[in-house]
PDB file of all heavy atoms in Angstrom:
ATOM      1  N   LEU W1013      21.682  24.996  13.716  1.00  0.00           N
ATOM      2  CA  LEU W1013      22.245  26.104  14.478  1.00  0.00           C
ATOM      3  C   LEU W1013      23.536  25.624  15.123  1.00  0.00           C
ATOM      4  O   LEU W1013      23.570  24.546  15.716  1.00  0.00           O
ATOM      5  CB  LEU W1013      21.289  26.536  15.591  1.00  0.00           C
ATOM      6  CG  LEU W1013      20.060  27.320  15.200  1.00  0.00           C
ATOM      7  CD1 LEU W1013      19.122  27.474  16.395  1.00  0.00           C
ATOM      8  CD2 LEU W1013      20.437  28.674  14.659  1.00  0.00           C
ATOM      9  N   ASP W1014      24.572  26.419  15.006  1.00  0.00           N
ATOM     10  CA  ASP W1014      25.831  26.110  15.652  1.00  0.00           C
ATOM     11  C   ASP W1014      26.121  27.159  16.705  1.00  0.00           C
ATOM     12  O   ASP W1014      25.645  28.298  16.611  1.00  0.00           O
ATOM     13  CB  ASP W1014      26.983  26.091  14.644  1.00  0.00           C
ATOM     14  CG  ASP W1014      26.958  24.867  13.751  1.00  0.00           C
ATOM     15  OD1 ASP W1014      26.473  23.818  14.206  1.00  0.00           O
ATOM     16  OD2 ASP W1014      27.402  24.961  12.602  1.00  0.00           O
ATOM     17  N   GLY W1015      26.922  26.790  17.671  1.00  0.00           N
ATOM     18  CA  GLY W1015      27.347  27.728  18.697  1.00  0.00           C
ATOM     19  C   GLY W1015      27.889  26.991  19.889  1.00  0.00           C
ATOM     20  O   GLY W1015      27.983  25.766  19.901  1.00  0.00           O
ATOM     21  N   ASN W1016      28.234  27.748  20.880  1.00  0.00           N
ATOM     22  CA  ASN W1016      28.662  27.182  22.145  1.00  0.00           C
ATOM     23  C   ASN W1016      27.523  26.318  22.662  1.00  0.00           C
ATOM     24  O   ASN W1016      26.360  26.731  22.642  1.00  0.00           O
ATOM     25  CB  ASN W1016      28.987  28.333  23.094  1.00  0.00           C
ATOM     26  CG  ASN W1016      29.313  27.863  24.474  1.00  0.00           C
ATOM     27  OD1 ASN W1016      28.432  27.426  25.200  1.00  0.00           O
ATOM     28  ND2 ASN W1016      30.579  27.982  24.839  1.00  0.00           N
ATOM     29  N   ALA W1017      27.822  25.124  23.122  1.00  0.00           N
ATOM     30  CA  ALA W1017      26.780  24.191  23.567  1.00  0.00           C
ATOM     31  C   ALA W1017      25.930  24.766  24.697  1.00  0.00           C
ATOM     32  O   ALA W1017      24.719  24.575  24.737  1.00  0.00           O
ATOM     33  CB  ALA W1017      27.412  22.866  23.988  1.00  0.00           C
ATOM     34  N   VAL W1018      26.550  25.493  25.612  1.00  0.00           N
ATOM     35  CA  VAL W1018      25.799  26.111  26.710  1.00  0.00           C
ATOM     36  C   VAL W1018      24.885  27.202  26.164  1.00  0.00           C
ATOM     37  O   VAL W1018      23.719  27.307  26.554  1.00  0.00           O
ATOM     38  CB  VAL W1018      26.755  26.656  27.793  1.00  0.00           C
ATOM     39  CG1 VAL W1018      25.998  27.454  28.838  1.00  0.00           C
ATOM     40  CG2 VAL W1018      27.528  25.516  28.430  1.00  0.00           C
ATOM     41  N   ASP W1019      25.396  28.020  25.232  1.00  0.00           N
ATOM     42  CA  ASP W1019      24.566  29.073  24.638  1.00  0.00           C
ATOM     43  C   ASP W1019      23.377  28.486  23.889  1.00  0.00           C
ATOM     44  O   ASP W1019      22.273  29.035  23.937  1.00  0.00           O
ATOM     45  CB  ASP W1019      25.388  29.946  23.687  1.00  0.00           C
ATOM     46  CG  ASP W1019      26.366  30.858  24.404  1.00  0.00           C
ATOM     47  OD1 ASP W1019      26.281  30.972  25.651  1.00  0.00           O
ATOM     48  OD2 ASP W1019      27.215  31.462  23.728  1.00  0.00           O
ATOM     49  N   LEU W1020      23.581  27.368  23.198  1.00  0.00           N
ATOM     50  CA  LEU W1020      22.457  26.729  22.501  1.00  0.00           C
ATOM     51  C   LEU W1020      21.402  26.241  23.488  1.00  0.00           C
ATOM     52  O   LEU W1020      20.196  26.367  23.239  1.00  0.00           O
ATOM     53  CB  LEU W1020      22.944  25.570  21.628  1.00  0.00           C
ATOM     54  CG  LEU W1020      23.675  25.963  20.350  1.00  0.00           C
ATOM     55  CD1 LEU W1020      24.275  24.732  19.682  1.00  0.00           C
ATOM     56  CD2 LEU W1020      22.763  26.707  19.393  1.00  0.00           C
ATOM     57  N   ARG W1021      21.834  25.690  24.605  1.00  0.00           N
ATOM     58  CA  ARG W1021      20.872  25.242  25.621  1.00  0.00           C
ATOM     59  C   ARG W1021      20.099  26.435  26.174  1.00  0.00           C
ATOM     60  O   ARG W1021      18.890  26.383  26.362  1.00  0.00           O
ATOM     61  CB  ARG W1021      21.574  24.503  26.743  1.00  0.00           C
ATOM     62  CG  ARG W1021      20.572  23.998  27.784  1.00  0.00           C
ATOM     63  CD  ARG W1021      21.224  23.277  28.918  1.00  0.00           C
ATOM     64  NE  ARG W1021      21.634  21.959  28.474  1.00  0.00           N
ATOM     65  CZ  ARG W1021      22.523  21.218  29.103  1.00  0.00           C
ATOM     66  NH1 ARG W1021      23.102  21.672  30.201  1.00  0.00           N
ATOM     67  NH2 ARG W1021      22.846  20.038  28.670  1.00  0.00           N
ATOM     68  N   ILE W1022      20.786  27.532  26.443  1.00  0.00           N
ATOM     69  CA  ILE W1022      20.125  28.741  26.946  1.00  0.00           C
ATOM     70  C   ILE W1022      19.153  29.276  25.898  1.00  0.00           C
ATOM     71  O   ILE W1022      18.029  29.670  26.225  1.00  0.00           O
ATOM     72  CB  ILE W1022      21.168  29.804  27.348  1.00  0.00           C
ATOM     73  CG1 ILE W1022      21.945  29.322  28.583  1.00  0.00           C
ATOM     74  CG2 ILE W1022      20.510  31.158  27.597  1.00  0.00           C
ATOM     75  CD1 ILE W1022      23.184  30.131  28.898  1.00  0.00           C
ATOM     76  N   LEU W1023      19.563  29.278  24.632  1.00  0.00           N
ATOM     77  CA  LEU W1023      18.679  29.718  23.555  1.00  0.00           C
ATOM     78  C   LEU W1023      17.402  28.885  23.533  1.00  0.00           C
ATOM     79  O   LEU W1023      16.294  29.423  23.425  1.00  0.00           O
ATOM     80  CB  LEU W1023      19.393  29.617  22.200  1.00  0.00           C
ATOM     81  CG  LEU W1023      18.508  29.993  21.021  1.00  0.00           C
ATOM     82  CD1 LEU W1023      18.961  31.299  20.418  1.00  0.00           C
ATOM     83  CD2 LEU W1023      18.482  28.903  19.988  1.00  0.00           C
ATOM     84  N   LEU W1024      17.529  27.568  23.663  1.00  0.00           N
ATOM     85  CA  LEU W1024      16.352  26.700  23.690  1.00  0.00           C
ATOM     86  C   LEU W1024      15.448  27.026  24.879  1.00  0.00           C
ATOM     87  O   LEU W1024      14.222  27.064  24.734  1.00  0.00           O
ATOM     88  CB  LEU W1024      16.767  25.229  23.742  1.00  0.00           C
ATOM     89  CG  LEU W1024      17.282  24.639  22.437  1.00  0.00           C
ATOM     90  CD1 LEU W1024      17.874  23.259  22.686  1.00  0.00           C
ATOM     91  CD2 LEU W1024      16.186  24.568  21.402  1.00  0.00           C
ATOM     92  N   HIS W1025      16.028  27.265  26.043  1.00  0.00           N
ATOM     93  CA  HIS W1025      15.220  27.618  27.213  1.00  0.00           C
ATOM     94  C   HIS W1025      14.482  28.933  26.988  1.00  0.00           C
ATOM     95  O   HIS W1025      13.303  29.043  27.330  1.00  0.00           O
ATOM     96  CB  HIS W1025      16.076  27.712  28.474  1.00  0.00           C
ATOM     97  CG  HIS W1025      16.409  26.391  29.053  1.00  0.00           C
ATOM     98  ND1 HIS W1025      15.475  25.558  29.626  1.00  0.00           N
ATOM     99  CD2 HIS W1025      17.577  25.740  29.144  1.00  0.00           C
ATOM    100  CE1 HIS W1025      16.054  24.456  30.038  1.00  0.00           C
ATOM    101  NE2 HIS W1025      17.338  24.533  29.755  1.00  0.00           N
ATOM    102  N   CYS W1026      15.164  29.904  26.436  1.00  0.00           N
ATOM    103  CA  CYS W1026      14.517  31.196  26.176  1.00  0.00           C
ATOM    104  C   CYS W1026      13.376  31.043  25.181  1.00  0.00           C
ATOM    105  O   CYS W1026      12.284  31.588  25.393  1.00  0.00           O
ATOM    106  CB  CYS W1026      15.543  32.205  25.654  1.00  0.00           C
ATOM    107  SG  CYS W1026      16.749  32.728  26.878  1.00  0.00           S
ATOM    108  N   ALA W1027      13.617  30.320  24.106  1.00  0.00           N
ATOM    109  CA  ALA W1027      12.570  30.116  23.104  1.00  0.00           C
ATOM    110  C   ALA W1027      11.394  29.356  23.703  1.00  0.00           C
ATOM    111  O   ALA W1027      10.224  29.708  23.469  1.00  0.00           O
ATOM    112  CB  ALA W1027      13.132  29.379  21.893  1.00  0.00           C
ATOM    113  N   PHE W1028      11.683  28.335  24.490  1.00  0.00           N
ATOM    114  CA  PHE W1028      10.633  27.535  25.118  1.00  0.00           C
ATOM    115  C   PHE W1028       9.794  28.391  26.064  1.00  0.00           C
ATOM    116  O   PHE W1028       8.566  28.369  26.019  1.00  0.00           O
ATOM    117  CB  PHE W1028      11.253  26.355  25.871  1.00  0.00           C
ATOM    118  CG  PHE W1028      10.255  25.386  26.419  1.00  0.00           C
ATOM    119  CD1 PHE W1028       9.663  24.435  25.596  1.00  0.00           C
ATOM    120  CD2 PHE W1028       9.910  25.411  27.757  1.00  0.00           C
ATOM    121  CE1 PHE W1028       8.744  23.526  26.094  1.00  0.00           C
ATOM    122  CE2 PHE W1028       8.992  24.501  28.271  1.00  0.00           C
ATOM    123  CZ  PHE W1028       8.405  23.560  27.435  1.00  0.00           C
ATOM    124  N   ARG W1029      10.462  29.163  26.923  1.00  0.00           N
ATOM    125  CA  ARG W1029       9.733  30.020  27.866  1.00  0.00           C
ATOM    126  C   ARG W1029       8.883  31.041  27.123  1.00  0.00           C
ATOM    127  O   ARG W1029       7.771  31.338  27.538  1.00  0.00           O
ATOM    128  CB  ARG W1029      10.700  30.730  28.813  1.00  0.00           C
ATOM    129  CG  ARG W1029      11.445  29.831  29.777  1.00  0.00           C
ATOM    130  CD  ARG W1029      10.574  29.078  30.754  1.00  0.00           C
ATOM    131  NE  ARG W1029       9.771  29.906  31.612  1.00  0.00           N
ATOM    132  CZ  ARG W1029      10.058  30.253  32.853  1.00  0.00           C
ATOM    133  NH1 ARG W1029      11.176  29.839  33.403  1.00  0.00           N
ATOM    134  NH2 ARG W1029       9.243  30.993  33.561  1.00  0.00           N
ATOM    135  N   HIS W1030       9.398  31.578  26.035  1.00  0.00           N
ATOM    136  CA  HIS W1030       8.617  32.531  25.239  1.00  0.00           C
ATOM    137  C   HIS W1030       7.384  31.863  24.643  1.00  0.00           C
ATOM    138  O   HIS W1030       6.296  32.437  24.630  1.00  0.00           O
ATOM    139  CB  HIS W1030       9.481  33.136  24.125  1.00  0.00           C
ATOM    140  CG  HIS W1030       8.719  34.066  23.244  1.00  0.00           C
ATOM    141  ND1 HIS W1030       8.099  33.637  22.092  1.00  0.00           N
ATOM    142  CD2 HIS W1030       8.447  35.385  23.361  1.00  0.00           C
ATOM    143  CE1 HIS W1030       7.490  34.657  21.526  1.00  0.00           C
ATOM    144  NE2 HIS W1030       7.680  35.732  22.275  1.00  0.00           N
ATOM    145  N   ASP W1031       7.554  30.641  24.156  1.00  0.00           N
ATOM    146  CA  ASP W1031       6.474  29.943  23.453  1.00  0.00           C
ATOM    147  C   ASP W1031       5.431  29.325  24.383  1.00  0.00           C
ATOM    148  O   ASP W1031       4.324  29.022  23.940  1.00  0.00           O
ATOM    149  CB  ASP W1031       7.045  28.845  22.559  1.00  0.00           C
ATOM    150  CG  ASP W1031       7.793  29.398  21.360  1.00  0.00           C
ATOM    151  OD1 ASP W1031       7.759  30.628  21.131  1.00  0.00           O
ATOM    152  OD2 ASP W1031       8.426  28.596  20.653  1.00  0.00           O
ATOM    153  N   MET W1032       5.778  29.117  25.657  1.00  0.00           N
ATOM    154  CA  MET W1032       4.822  28.485  26.570  1.00  0.00           C
ATOM    155  C   MET W1032       3.506  29.261  26.558  1.00  0.00           C
ATOM    156  O   MET W1032       3.487  30.466  26.687  1.00  0.00           O
ATOM    157  CB  MET W1032       5.378  28.447  28.002  1.00  0.00           C
ATOM    158  CG  MET W1032       6.301  27.297  28.247  1.00  0.00           C
ATOM    159  SD  MET W1032       7.073  27.284  29.899  1.00  0.00           S
ATOM    160  CE  MET W1032       5.744  27.656  31.004  1.00  0.00           C
ATOM    161  N   GLY W1033       2.429  28.546  26.399  1.00  0.00           N
ATOM    162  CA  GLY W1033       1.118  29.182  26.355  1.00  0.00           C
ATOM    163  C   GLY W1033       0.672  29.495  24.948  1.00  0.00           C
ATOM    164  O   GLY W1033      -0.507  29.730  24.704  1.00  0.00           O
ATOM    165  N   GLY W1034       1.599  29.510  24.017  1.00  0.00           N
ATOM    166  CA  GLY W1034       1.266  29.683  22.601  1.00  0.00           C
ATOM    167  C   GLY W1034       1.195  28.319  21.942  1.00  0.00           C
ATOM    168  O   GLY W1034       0.896  27.320  22.588  1.00  0.00           O
ATOM    169  N   GLY W1035       1.511  28.260  20.690  1.00  0.00           N
ATOM    170  CA  GLY W1035       1.477  26.990  19.969  1.00  0.00           C
ATOM    171  C   GLY W1035       2.600  26.061  20.390  1.00  0.00           C
ATOM    172  O   GLY W1035       3.751  26.466  20.529  1.00  0.00           O
ATOM    173  N   ALA W1036       2.264  24.799  20.568  1.00  0.00           N
ATOM    174  CA  ALA W1036       3.237  23.800  21.011  1.00  0.00           C
ATOM    175  C   ALA W1036       3.838  23.007  19.854  1.00  0.00           C
ATOM    176  O   ALA W1036       4.682  22.150  20.080  1.00  0.00           O
ATOM    177  CB  ALA W1036       2.572  22.837  21.995  1.00  0.00           C
ATOM    178  N   GLY W1037       3.433  23.309  18.619  1.00  0.00           N
ATOM    179  CA  GLY W1037       3.843  22.501  17.472  1.00  0.00           C
ATOM    180  C   GLY W1037       5.341  22.347  17.294  1.00  0.00           C
ATOM    181  O   GLY W1037       5.831  21.245  17.043  1.00  0.00           O
TER     182      GLY W1037
END
Side-chain angles (χ1 to χ4, degrees):
L1013 286 171
D1014 287 330
N1016 174 288
V1018 173
D1019 288 349
L1020 286 172
R1021 182 181 285 162
I1022 292 168
L1023 177 110
L1024 285 170
H1025 282 292
C1026 291
F1028 187 79
R1029 293 298 300 262
H1030 177 268
D1031 290 352
M1032 277 176 45

